[in-house]
Amino acid sequence: MAAEPAAAADWQPWAGQSATAPRAIFTSGANDQGALLTCDADGHLAAVLSLKPASLPDQLAKNAYMSRDESAKISVGDSDISEARLTVVPAQDVVQTSKHSVAAKVFNAAVRGEALKVSMKRAGEIDIVLPTPNDTFKAFADNCSKKRAPSTES
């Protein structure tokens, strides 16, 4: 029987973000691999995933002068595997993407409660079940969807 992937702790707004309309949220907990989701002014998602269990704020606070792109295979639950290019930041032990379609897989993994799996030849694997969406996650989703929605004002 295969081991279950680790589950991250909870969703919290990033430092300085409004709890009622955050544009950046992350999974708390230093004992699990985690995720950071961000939403730009146009409602496009970006994501950061940790390669090892650690506090994401602590990881991202490290100076990182080098990064490299790497091919990755990404799946959510039993869905088809997608291929994408991710940026690996070795000094921070994270991978990141600013491609909305890839970040949406991270978002959808949390919404569905399904395991997110990312496989990379050099950087390794991420196998995580993200926390269930809480009020912070729902506020983030609502805020981002409003930014993507076309304006109806004249």
Side-chain angles (χ1 to χ4, degrees):
M1 184 185 219
E4 289 292 315
D10 203 4
W11 292 101
Q12 295 183 355
W14 193 257
Q17 293 290 307
S18 162
T20 57
R23 286 186 38 194
I25 59 173
F26 72 102
T27 56
S28 63
N31 298 321
D32 305 302
Q33 289 175 303
L36 165 69
L37 288 169
T38 63
C39 177
D40 70 14
D42 295 322
H44 295 104
L45 295 173
V48 176
L49 299 169
S50 59
L51 290 166
K52 65 179 187 178
S55 161
L56 268 173
D58 290 348
Q59 282 178 278
L60 295 176
K62 295 177 184 175
N63 289 331
Y65 300 106
M66 297 190 324
S67 64
R68 68 177 186 276
D69 284 349
E70 186 171 338
S71 294
K73 293 182 179 183
I74 304 167
S75 62
V76 176
D78 294 329
S79 68
D80 290 339
I81 295 172
S82 301
E83 294 194 15
R85 298 287 291 172
L86 298 178
T87 301
V88 179
V89 186
Q92 295 176 333
D93 288 312
V94 299
V95 296
Q96 57 191 25
T97 181
S98 58
K99 190 168 182 177
H100 179 82
S101 62
V102 177
K105 290 187 179 300
V106 178
F107 180 93
N108 289 334
V111 170
R112 295 179 187 160
E114 295 181 333
L116 172 69
K117 185 167 185 168
V118 180
S119 299
M120 296 162 287
K121 192 171 188 175
R122 290 180 60 198
E125 293 198 3
I126 298 169
D127 196 10
I128 185 173
V129 175
L130 296 167
T132 302
N134 60 8
D135 289 343
T136 298
F137 187 96
K138 292 171 187 172
F140 172 80
D142 184 52
N143 192 27
C144 286
S145 68
K146 286 178 183 174
K147 295 187 179 314
R148 275 194 308 277
S151 175
T152 57
E153 295 179 23
S154 304

